[in-house]
Amino acid sequence: MIRLDKLEVTVLGASGMAGQEYLKLLSNHPFFEVKHITGKSSVGKKLKEVVKFDEDKIDESLLEMTIEKTEVESIKSDLFFSALPSDEALHIEQELAKRGFKVISDASAYRMESDVPLIIPEVNPEHLALIEVQRKKRRWDGFIVTTPNCTTVGLAIVLKPIYSFFGIEEVVVTTMQALSGAGYPGVPSLDIIANVIPYIKEEEEKVSSETLKILGSLEGEIIKPASISLNISCNRVSTINGHLESVFLRTKNDFSLEEIRNILASFKGKPQILKLPSAPEKVIILDERKDRPQPRLDCMAGSVAGMSVVVGRLRKASSRNSLMLTLLSNNVVRGAGGGAVLTAELMFAEKLI
Ligand SMILES: NC(=O)c1ccc[n+]([C@@H]2O[C@H](COP(=O)([O-])OP(=O)(O)OC[C@H]3O[C@@H](n4cnc5c(N)ncnc54)[C@H](OP(=O)(O)O)[C@@H]3O)[C@@H](O)[C@H]2O)c1
């Protein structure tokens, strides 16, 4: 797997909530070197002037970089990481792929296109085979690979091993989603302080369709979505980082709690086998203390901070083959920049980029 040539990368939307996470993870990265960072209102400023949190976690040389205009005509790079708003991503990512560039995107614009991989590296790396389908169908040399919505990621990771071992018929999820999931500056303070908002525009639809695509099987040139009844209620709460999700699920086959503990705690994928730089040792951390996981205490848990999903409150539900649990996933790390960087590391290791 050893490759000594570093790829030159650009981060589009580097000044936003998701973009800044990329720059932490790409600081002194062994495979990637950041050459360009772009934005809109912050063009011309140095990154250090716009960083909102954790400046000390970003390499000094990156903090000194100047934010450029997001111009597809002028910027060249081996790889583009896109943390653009979806409306902008729709045009810009396609223009880049047409020009032969490779794009890994956190935006929702292309996630549900049938020829676009929607990837969680531990869950569905085989879906990267869609890259060739996309190139053939769209007649472009570049490609777009997407990563899921921040609420989808934790859910799909936890469902995957249970789905593989026992089958899943039905899932009911209630989310408590952090403010950073809405970008910066996000939800107005007077709307959210001492409050919960039981609606996030288009979120429930996204989590549902994306989860079924990710758990689906690649059949020839298409993905057959998983056949699970998914019912999601999304809520915005006034935490800063980390989406908490209360999950009820009914499996096809009977299980014991011990079996569930074992398959969750031992779940791993290619990133762990290949020991990729951003791969956490444990994809899922079981924490069965009675009041965990909690966003403030646990959202940076794990060997690579913020990349593990923490699961607690495991218990059998009253109906047949039913399980309840609470999961916590860091929306800006595993759910955005970290997930995309890990996807790129896997593609680099497998010589897809
Ligand atoms: N926040 C999360 O937890 C999360 C998780 C998963 C996926 N995502 C996705 O990541 C993307 C970015 O989200 P975010 O939360 O980081 O949003 P954000 O904080 O609002 O940041 C948006 C970024 O895009 C730039 N931008 C805005 N309009 C632009 C334009 N017309 N041309 C070029 N750049 C433009 C902004 O630049 P300026 O600051 O310079 O104006 C900023 O860097 C979205 O597609 C979102 O769905 C976010």
Side-chain angles (χ1 to χ4, degrees), residues 143-161:
F143 59 73
I144 300 169
V145 167
T146 57
T147 62
N149 172 286
C150 44
T151 311
T152 307
V153 178
L155 181 65
I157 286 177
V158 171
L159 294 184
K160 170 73 180 186

Side-chain angles (χ1 to χ4, degrees), residues 16-60:
M17 288 306 301
Q20 290 179 33
E21 283 307 316
Y22 277 102
L23 296 162
K24 287 181 210 165
L25 290 152
L26 292 170
S27 289
N28 298 310
H29 197 282
F31 302 169
F32 308 122
E33 189 165 351
V34 180
K35 282 287 174 190
H36 303 280
I37 54 175
T38 82
K40 187 183 177 196
S41 56
S42 55
V43 169
K45 291 184 180 162
K46 292 202 167 175
L47 181 66
K48 67 181 179 190
E49 296 175 70
V50 301
V51 166
K52 312 279 187 319
F53 309 101
D54 298 337
E55 185 176 328
D56 56 319
K57 294 190 182 145
I58 301 179
D59 187 63
E60 191 60 39

Side-chain angles (χ1 to χ4, degrees), residues 2-293:
I2 296 187
R3 280 174 64 179
L4 297 174
D5 49 328
K6 277 198 189 188
L7 294 188
E8 294 188 351
V9 304
T10 294
V11 180
L12 307 171
S15 48
M17 288 306 301
Q20 290 179 33
E21 283 307 316
Y22 277 102
L23 296 162
K24 287 181 210 165
L25 290 152
L26 292 170
S27 289
N28 298 310
H29 197 282
F31 302 169
F32 308 122
E33 189 165 351
V34 180
K35 282 287 174 190
H36 303 280
I37 54 175
T38 82
K40 187 183 177 196
S41 56
S42 55
V43 169
K45 291 184 180 162
K46 292 202 167 175
L47 181 66
K48 67 181 179 190
E49 296 175 70
V50 301
V51 166
K52 312 279 187 319
F53 309 101
D54 298 337
E55 185 176 328
D56 56 319
K57 294 190 182 145
I58 301 179
D59 187 63
E60 191 60 39
S61 63
L62 298 181
L63 289 169
E64 290 298 329
M65 287 180 79
T66 301
I67 297 170
E68 301 173 46
K69 262 193 184 165
T70 309
E71 275 179 344
V72 285
E73 300 80 15
S74 55
I75 299 180
K76 296 194 174 15
S77 230
D78 297 320
L79 177 67
F80 287 77
F81 287 111
S82 169
L84 293 171
S86 200
D87 291 349
E88 320 304 330
L90 193 64
H91 171 69
I92 293 170
E93 293 176 4
Q94 173 174 259
E95 284 305 310
L96 287 168
K98 272 187 195 163
R99 286 172 157 78
F101 294 112
K102 296 155 186 161
V103 180
I104 298 182
S105 174
D106 278 337
S108 63
Y110 290 95
R111 285 182 196 147
M112 291 309 296
E113 296 279 314
S114 65
D115 58 347
V116 175
L118 176 59
I119 298 295
I120 301 176
E122 290 93 341
V123 173
N124 62 338
E126 71 281 6
H127 291 189
L128 287 168
L130 284 181
I131 290 173
E132 283 318 311
V133 179
Q134 184 188 127
R135 281 178 153 156
K136 196 171 69 181
K137 184 173 150 194
R138 304 193 189 228
R139 296 199 184 89
W140 56 30
D141 292 330
F143 59 73
I144 300 169
V145 167
T146 57
T147 62
N149 172 286
C150 44
T151 311
T152 307
V153 178
L155 181 65
I157 286 177
V158 171
L159 294 184
K160 170 73 180 186
I162 302 175
Y163 186 56
S164 303
F165 277 84
F166 299 105
I168 298 178
E169 289 180 342
E170 184 188 11
V171 180
V172 181
V173 187
T174 303
T175 72
M176 287 146 270
Q177 299 182 216
L179 293 171
S180 58
Y184 195 88
V187 187
S189 56
L190 287 178
D191 288 349
I192 193 69
I193 291 173
N195 202 12
V196 173
I197 301 175
Y199 173 71
I200 302 173
K201 191 172 174 238
E202 292 169 12
E203 191 83 347
E204 290 157 4
E205 296 83 349
K206 282 185 199 162
V207 179
S208 191
S209 57
E210 291 177 16
T211 303
L212 298 179
K213 177 171 178 177
I214 293 163
L215 296 179
S217 50
L218 182 66
E219 297 186 2
E221 299 200 339
I222 57 157
I223 289 169
K224 187 165 169 244
S227 169
I228 301 172
S229 163
L230 269 184
N231 308 278
I232 324 269
S233 303
C234 292
N235 301 283
R236 185 73 69 198
V237 300
S238 86
T239 52
I240 298 173
N241 287 323
H243 291 350
L244 198 69
E245 305 180 26
S246 258
V247 181
F248 164 94
L249 62 89
R250 187 160 41 78
T251 58
K252 279 198 176 119
N253 303 310
D254 195 13
F255 60 83
S256 70
L257 277 184
E258 212 36 48
E259 286 172 317
I260 296 285
R261 282 191 187 97
N262 287 339
I263 61 165
L264 292 180
S266 61
F267 178 56
K268 62 181 177 189
K270 280 187 176 181
Q272 286 68 37
I273 294 162
L274 294 168
K275 296 191 184 329
L276 297 174
S278 305
E281 274 166 33
K282 287 195 157 296
V283 187
I284 297 171
I285 296 173
L286 276 188
D287 187 338
E288 293 203 75
R289 284 175 285 181
K290 64 180 186 224
D291 58 354
R292 305 296 270 273

